[in-house]
Each structure stands twice: as C-alpha cells, then as structure tokens.
Amino acid sequence: MKRVQFAVSPEIRVGGSVFTPTDMVAIGQIVGEDAQIELSIFQQLIVEMNEEKADDAKKALREKGLCVYETGSVVKNLSVCSFCKGAEIEGLEAARNLNDTIAGMAVPFTMRVGYTGCPNACGEPLVKDIGIVKRKETFEIYVGGQSKTMEAKTAELLVEQVKEEQLSSIVQSMITLYQTQGKKREKFFKFVERYGLENVRKELGLSS
C-alpha cells in the first residue's frame, strides 16, 4: 500500500510555533498507530501514512485548527519568534497573514522564511532565506541568509520601512521572482548572489 507524507504545524500564536497537549492528542488519534511521525528542523511534524487515509486525516487536522502543508521543494511555514512582548506590539497578525500568503509555494529548492517581532531577532531571521524584522510600526526584509555548510552567511537588507499592508505582497513577489528566474535545485542564497541584490530590487520596484 502506497504511503505519502505531509507536514503538520501549529497555528502561529503567542509563544511561537507551539503544539499544545490537545494538539498532540488530536494528531495521534487522527493519523493512527500505523503512521510514522518525524520532527523536522522546520518546526513541523512530518507525517507518513497510508495514501487512502491521508486526505481524510488532513481535513480532520485542519478542523482541529492545525496547519497542514506539502513537503518537498516548497516555502516552509513561517519560522517565528515567541512574541514575548505581545501579539500587537510584535505583529502576530502580520506574521499570520504572511504565512497564509507564502507557505506552500513551489520553489526551485526548499525555502525557509523567518519572522521576528523586534530587533532582538530571537527567531534568527538573518540566517534564513528571507528574514523579516519588525521595528516599531514598520518592517525590514532581508534576503540570502544561510546557516549551514562552509558557505554560511548573514542575509542582506533588501528593503526597510515596509508598512504592514505591503509586507506579504513584497515577500510573495520576491518568491515569485525566484520561482521564475531560479535554476532547478538552485538554493535561494545562490540565486540572490547570481541575480544580484540591486537587480532584485529593480525587479520588485524597490530601487530608489
């Protein structure tokens, strides 16, 4: 019998990407004892189960308030801080809107986007493919971070003083550019290096 995989994560909330005991019980009951569950580095649980039961399981998980995503070369769900200063101050709703906009988009290579609600950057956004830092009432967007291998590097500032209503659109446009101009299996930071940061700004209409 064919088995398939999908990812499960909690709703973004104060505390960050936190599974509650109720969430964990629901996941276990819904996917069943035959499923295999693996904790990934992307703040996700990867569920492997029989294909014929997967669609019903995904629907039931969503009804419990959990988020379900595809695996593979897609934009992963948003990696977030814990919103320790409060939902309104650190932009919880902005983070949720961004996640709803970009999570699951197909890309040349697996992509991670980080969000942090203050300049302390507890969510480590500057070592993500795209990083968002909230500063008071506006946001900074960084691109091209890399945390692994000998090529580890800090992301570069793409644009600052972004208003909340612009945030999701700009990040989505950045990912769309990578979709259309990136090479197969080309990591995002390599794409930024090849394409050029200033060219990215021009394509997105961000140049002064």
Side-chain angles (χ1 to χ4, degrees):
M1 187 177 295
K2 185 178 179 181
R3 291 172 71 84
V4 295
Q5 290 186 338
F6 57 88
V8 180
S9 70
E11 179 187 44
I12 296 173
R13 53 171 70 102
V14 173
S17 295
V18 179
F19 286 103
T20 66
T22 301
D23 292 336
M24 300 303 290
V25 169
I27 293 169
Q29 290 177 338
I30 290 168
V31 304
E33 294 182 0
D34 292 337
Q36 179 177 318
I37 302 176
E38 176 188 357
L39 178 63
S40 79
I41 63 172
F42 300 112
Q43 297 182 344
Q44 297 176 328
L45 295 178
I46 305 300
V47 176
E48 181 181 293
M49 63 183 300
N50 293 337
E51 183 179 31
E52 63 180 16
K53 299 179 180 178
D55 286 344
D56 287 343
K58 291 176 185 179
K59 180 180 178 181
L61 289 166
R62 292 188 179 105
E63 288 174 350
K64 292 291 185 180
L66 292 157
C67 302
V68 179
Y69 304 104
E70 297 304 313
T71 58
S73 295
V74 298
V75 180
K76 300 301 183 183
N77 55 289
L78 203 63
S79 175
V80 297
C81 65
S82 64
F83 300 96
C84 62
K85 296 181 180 179
E88 185 172 344
I89 292 174
E90 296 199 315
L92 177 61
E93 197 59 34
R96 287 176 172 171
N97 289 338
L98 177 60
N99 185 69
D100 290 344
T101 300
I102 65 173
M105 291 179 68
V107 283
F109 194 86
T110 301
M111 190 174 187
R112 195 168 189 184
V113 180
Y115 176 99
T116 193
C118 78
N120 287 335
C122 297
E124 300 183 341
L126 300 191
V127 291
K128 303 296 192 298
D129 294 299
I130 298 177
I132 293 91
V133 179
K134 187 172 187 291
R135 286 186 182 268
K136 296 183 178 179
E137 300 304 316
T138 63
F139 301 84
E140 298 170 348
I141 301 175
Y142 295 82
V143 296
Q146 166 73 353
S147 63
K148 298 180 180 179
T149 78
M150 297 296 289
E151 298 175 302
K153 58 176 291 188
T154 304
E156 299 180 83
L157 179 65
L158 176 70
V159 61
E160 57 187 342
Q161 295 186 331
V162 174
K163 296 178 181 179
E164 182 172 339
E165 58 267 27
Q166 302 171 307
L167 179 63
S168 293
S169 176
I170 292 174
V171 176
Q172 183 180 40
S173 295
M174 176 73 254
I175 296 171
T176 300
L177 180 65
Y178 176 44
Q179 283 179 322
T180 58
Q181 300 300 320
K183 299 177 182 179
K184 185 177 181 180
R185 300 290 295 171
E186 181 179 35
K187 293 182 179 180
F188 181 73
F189 82 98
K190 288 288 190 182
F191 164 72
V192 173
E193 288 177 352
R194 176 176 61 83
Y195 204 82
L197 188 61
E198 193 52 43
N199 287 332
V200 170
R201 291 192 181 107
K202 289 178 181 177
E203 287 285 348
L204 301 184
L206 302 175
S207 296
S208 57

